[in-house]
Amino acid sequence: MLIKRLQLALIHTAVAITLVPFNSTLNRVMIFDLGISKTIFTLLAIFPYVLSPIQVAIGSFSDRHPIFGYRRVPYILAGLILCVLGVAIAPQIAVLISKNFTLGIIVGVIAFGMWGMGYNLSAVSYLSLASELSGEKGRGKTIATMFIAMVFGLIVTGISLSNMVTTYDPETLSRAFLIVAVSALTLGLLGLIKLEPPFKSEDSIPRSEAYTVKEMTAAITANPVARIFFAYLLLLLAAILGQDVLLEPFGAQAFGMTLEQTSRIVSISSFFTLIAFVVAAILEGRVKKKYIAQSGNLGALFGFLIIVLSGLTTSLTTFYIGITLLGFGTGISTVANLSLMFDLTVPEKVGLYIGAWGFSNGLSRLLGLLMAGLVADLATQLTGNALSGYLVVFGLEAFMLFLAAIMLYRIDVGAFQKQAHEPSFVEKVALAAE
């Protein structure tokens, strides 16, 4: 199983590193170097998450429609290829948008759309395969291996991009993105070799468990703790993930950082996220999950506040401290809240609740990125100061984390489990399914 686990980690890493060029280099080039509106870029960046609901349909379809006897690998491969093509095309957005704005936007929709479709197609497939191959007892180790490998991949990709693209040049940018695309495809193909055992007959394919939107909504709204946790995840993840497209252009705007320097931000942040994974793993079982989650939430909150302070004082050292705290807090929060998420399920409805928390994740990414672009542009227009737009967004994200930290105290796993097993609640969810 170790080989299979490492192969799954390679696939997870391959898909993850294809996002780095978009969120660590292209965002800086388009927003700062080319002066494109932050709102326009974030509208392109949220496109993949608008497509996220198709994951449910893809998962169910692949269960019932194997290709050449394989239920997951063909879909993973198709998704990976789309991600790679999206990265390869992406530099043309920057090249074209300054010459022909309409054509540049069209190419942007194609590139982000291909990456988004590829991500949704591959992610649901390789996560399903990971669950099937690992079994219930081995899932924790598999997830840990996949996430650690992914973070290493993000660090290496960020450093590589910063070395390949020191200043903005269309040809250099295209070459660097192509290298990342080829690297991702190579890792992914290595991961797919003999990964999934073929099914001999249609009869061996299990029926997938499907839930309706009404059933998912009922499961959330009818349980007070589930409602709070859904809103908590929405606030928390929108705040943490909303800064993805702004940190690099902020570094350029506030401190005059070069493209080489801003491309390394993801590596620095990811390095401390990796350290946080280790710390969270050590604390697991020794400290209450809610305490661990809260320390991560507050770490990210103070990270945002320090980043705001760095902009006000024009201190690059302070900025790096803020990035460090943000990365570390995000890592602690991710591990603890993922563990808490699995506690907020019931055995007979695991897919239903995981689907609900997954929906909250996708929605938070969409809302967080859109909020970041719109608020930053609006604040800039109102103040006439480009830097203030970034600072307002980072301050707002700190406030969102503060609200999430308050909500965490109201999340009671015991109360959730008690409510979820009451006959009236079970009956309400069942009626929603009909």
Side-chain angles (χ1 to χ4, degrees):
M1 183 56 211
L2 176 60
I3 299 299
K4 301 285 187 186
R5 194 171 287 145
L6 292 173
Q7 285 182 277
L8 288 164
L10 283 178
I11 296 168
H12 186 53
T13 302
V15 174
I17 66 173
T18 58
L19 182 59
V20 177
F22 288 101
N23 281 0
S24 77
T25 305
L26 187 64
N27 60 333
R28 145 73 195 246
V29 167
M30 288 181 64
I31 293 173
F32 182 77
D33 295 289
L34 299 180
I36 303 300
S37 162
K38 302 175 192 69
T39 301
I40 290 174
F41 185 85
T42 53
L43 283 172
L44 291 172
I46 67 172
F47 195 51
Y49 306 112
V50 173
L51 298 172
S52 62
I54 65 172
Q55 285 198 31
V56 177
I58 292 169
S60 178
F61 185 85
S62 64
D63 277 347
R64 293 176 284 108
H65 298 88
I67 299 174
F68 301 116
Y70 295 94
R71 290 190 302 149
R72 309 300 182 196
V73 165
Y75 297 95
I76 296 170
L77 179 60
L80 179 63
I81 290 172
L82 284 172
C83 286
V84 165
L85 289 174
V87 174
I89 294 171
Q92 302 310 311
I93 307 171
V95 174
L96 292 172
I97 207 163
S98 54
K99 298 177 181 178
N100 185 324
F101 183 80
T102 303
L103 183 59
I105 292 296
I106 292 172
V107 173
V109 170
I110 292 171
F112 277 92
M114 290 180 80
W115 185 90
M117 189 64 194
Y119 167 76
N120 287 300
L121 184 58
S122 59
V124 69
S125 302
Y126 69 68
L127 289 173
S128 296
L129 183 58
S131 178
E132 292 161 0
L133 293 178
S134 302
E136 190 172 345
K137 292 183 179 179
R139 282 173 195 162
K141 290 181 180 178
T142 299
I143 290 171
T145 304
M146 291 169 70
F147 272 82
I148 290 171
M150 178 196 73
V151 175
F152 269 117
L154 296 180
I155 293 170
V156 172
T157 306
I159 293 172
S160 300
L161 278 171
S162 71
N163 290 331
M164 288 187 287
V165 190
T166 54
T167 56
Y168 172 55
D169 173 71
E171 290 184 9
T172 304
L173 190 70
S174 296
R175 184 167 58 250
F177 276 42
L178 187 59
I179 290 171
V180 173
V182 171
S183 300
L185 183 60
T186 303
L187 288 176
L189 290 176
L190 288 172
L192 288 173
I193 296 173
K194 296 183 179 180
L195 176 61
E196 180 186 14
F199 282 89
K200 301 299 182 183
S201 68
E202 293 289 329
D203 294 334
S204 61
I205 300 173
R207 291 174 60 86
S208 59
E209 191 176 20
Y211 296 104
T212 66
V213 175
K214 281 186 177 181
E215 195 175 359
M216 184 179 72
T217 303
I220 297 170
T221 57
N223 190 314
V225 179
R227 285 201 304 269
I228 296 169
F229 189 67
F230 185 87
Y232 163 76
L233 279 183
L234 201 61
L235 274 174
L236 175 74
L237 296 175
I240 288 177
L241 301 172
Q243 50 74 32
D244 268 0
V245 298
L246 294 184
L247 274 180
E248 287 79 11
F250 169 72
Q253 184 73 53
F255 313 108
M257 294 173 73
T258 64
L259 184 53
E260 180 181 7
Q261 290 174 313
T262 57
S263 292
R264 286 178 183 164
I265 289 175
V266 68
S267 299
I268 296 168
S269 179
S270 297
F271 175 74
F272 286 98
T273 297
L274 186 62
I275 293 174
F277 283 170
V278 176
V279 173
I282 294 171
L283 294 176
E284 181 76 26
R286 295 179 174 87
V287 181
K288 287 185 178 181
K289 291 176 184 178
K290 283 173 66 172
Y291 293 162
I292 300 173
Q294 196 69 290
S295 65
N297 299 345
L298 294 176
L301 188 159
F302 284 114
F304 277 123
L305 292 178
I306 291 172
I307 290 170
V308 171
L309 179 63
S310 74
L312 295 173
T313 59
T314 323
S315 169
L316 185 57
T317 301
T318 305
F319 177 59
Y320 280 126
I321 293 172
I323 290 173
T324 299
L325 262 178
L326 182 59
F328 188 81
T330 298
I332 294 285
S333 180
T334 298
V335 174
N337 284 301
L338 186 63
S339 181
L340 187 62
M341 180 182 75
F342 281 108
D343 287 343
L344 292 170
T345 64
V346 290
E348 62 274 15
K349 294 286 183 182
V350 171
L352 177 64
Y353 283 104
I354 295 300
W357 309 146
F359 174 71
S360 179
N361 187 325
L363 184 61
S364 65
R365 284 177 179 269
L366 191 156
L367 294 177
L369 289 171
L370 185 59
M371 179 267 306
L374 288 171
V375 172
D377 277 341
L378 182 61
T380 298
Q381 289 183 359
L382 291 175
T383 62
N385 184 343
L387 188 60
S388 65
Y390 296 103
L391 298 181
V392 168
V393 170
F394 296 145
L396 179 59
E397 288 170 334
F399 180 68
M400 290 165 67
L401 284 172
F402 175 71
L403 294 178
I406 294 173
M407 294 178 73
L408 181 58
Y409 286 111
R410 298 178 58 197
I411 297 170
D412 185 336
V413 174
F416 168 86
Q417 294 289 345
K418 183 179 178 181
Q419 173 82 27
H421 287 97
E422 286 181 359
S424 59
F425 174 80
V426 175
E427 191 176 316
K428 191 178 293 187
V429 175
L431 285 172
E434 296 177 355

